[in-house]
Every structure is written in C-alpha cells, then in structure tokens.
Amino acid sequence: MAAIGVVFLILMYIGFATPARWLIVFGPLNDFCVLVQYALALPVIGAFDRVLAPLGAVRRRLIFTVGMTGCLGAVVFQAGLLLGLMSFKEQVAYAAASVLLAGLWTVLASLAARKTAALKIGNGVLIGSGLYFGYPLWAFKIGRLLRLAGNHVAPEHARVTT
C-alpha cells in the first residue's frame, strides 16, 4: 500500500507542476493509501515491542508510544481529511507531524532492534526507514525479519542488509 501511495503522491505533484491538472485526482487516493499504510503499521509496532523486550521497559515504552502516537495520528488526520471533517489546511500540519513521529519510530525501533540479538537490520534499511519514500522497502524487509523471528529462526539467520 505504501508503494502505491508513493506513486500516487508523485503523480499528484506532477499534476500541480505541469499542465496535466487531471493528475491531481491522485491526491485523495494517496491520502487513502497513507491511512491504510499507517493502520497496517499498528500491529507491527506491537510485534516490534515484543522483539525489543531485552531493552527494558522504559525504553520499549518510549519507542512504542512514539510509534503508536505517530501512526494513530496519521490514521485519524487522514480519515478526517477524507471524510471532509477537516480541510487540507487544517489537517496538513497535524498529519505531517504524525508522519514524522512514525518515521522517528521506524528509526528508533530499527536502531534498538540492532542492539538486540533478535534482529539485524542493515544500514540501507535503517536509512530508508525514516524517509517516507523508503518506507515501502523498510516495511517489506521488516515484515520478513519479523516473520523469521516469529518462526523461531536463530537470530544469525534473521539478518537483512542492503
């Protein structure tokens, strides 16, 4: 969903920058994809919280709270926009802050996971994790890692690098 949303976002900006104004119709489609993307990320935050158990409760709770706040905020503010409860001007700052928090969570969770024996995350995945355009690759790779970790694969086999 994230990769499709990125394509819709690019098409929308092309519509703003060129005479092909009809491409602006991809804006609401991007908004919907963003809503679904962050809604689907919510269970991943819980899965990461379990993976980060060796780090201690305070650090885990901080990372969990940043992730949940960012992703839930993105879902709520995108829904408000799509349902016509908020204008784009009213929504954009809150949604952007939420997406930034969600990006911060991906970096914090990835760095923390590197410190545990549970998951090894390569630099390419880590760098992409905080960038909106790199999120689809990060989500795919992290999904693979969490699936491997959930299948009780030895930590040395649950390594993804790029």
Side-chain angles (χ1 to χ4, degrees):
M1 198 48 99
I4 295 167
V6 169
V7 171
F8 289 160
L9 183 67
I10 292 168
L11 290 171
M12 180 193 71
Y13 280 118
I14 291 171
F16 282 126
T18 68
R21 291 281 185 218
W22 66 272
L23 290 173
I24 295 171
V25 301
F26 287 101
L29 294 173
N30 172 65
D31 294 329
F32 177 75
C33 288
V34 169
L35 185 150
V36 172
Q37 166 187 329
Y38 288 107
L40 291 174
L42 294 170
V44 176
I45 295 167
F48 245 111
D49 189 54
R50 287 188 300 279
V51 167
L52 300 178
L55 296 178
V58 173
R59 205 158 152 201
R60 279 179 49 215
R61 289 294 131 213
L62 175 66
I63 293 169
F64 180 86
T65 302
V66 167
M68 281 295 184
T69 302
C71 289
L72 283 172
V75 168
V76 167
F77 294 119
Q78 289 301 113
L81 178 65
L82 288 167
L83 295 172
L85 302 174
M86 302 175 85
S87 71
F88 180 76
K89 281 184 177 181
E90 294 169 325
Q91 176 262 8
V92 68
Y94 299 115
S98 296
V99 169
L100 285 172
L101 271 178
L104 176 62
W105 170 77
T106 63
V107 172
L108 291 175
S110 297
L111 286 171
R114 280 179 142 183
K115 294 184 182 211
T116 71
L119 298 172
K120 301 289 185 209
I121 298 172
N123 287 333
V125 175
L126 179 60
I127 291 167
S129 71
L131 304 172
Y132 182 73
F133 290 98
Y135 183 85
L137 175 64
W138 179 86
F140 175 77
K141 299 232 180 215
I142 294 305
R144 277 189 22 203
L145 285 172
L146 291 173
R147 193 177 88 230
L148 289 172
N151 289 334
H152 307 291
V153 173
E156 61 271 15
H157 295 116
R159 181 174 177 78
V160 173
T161 57
T162 58

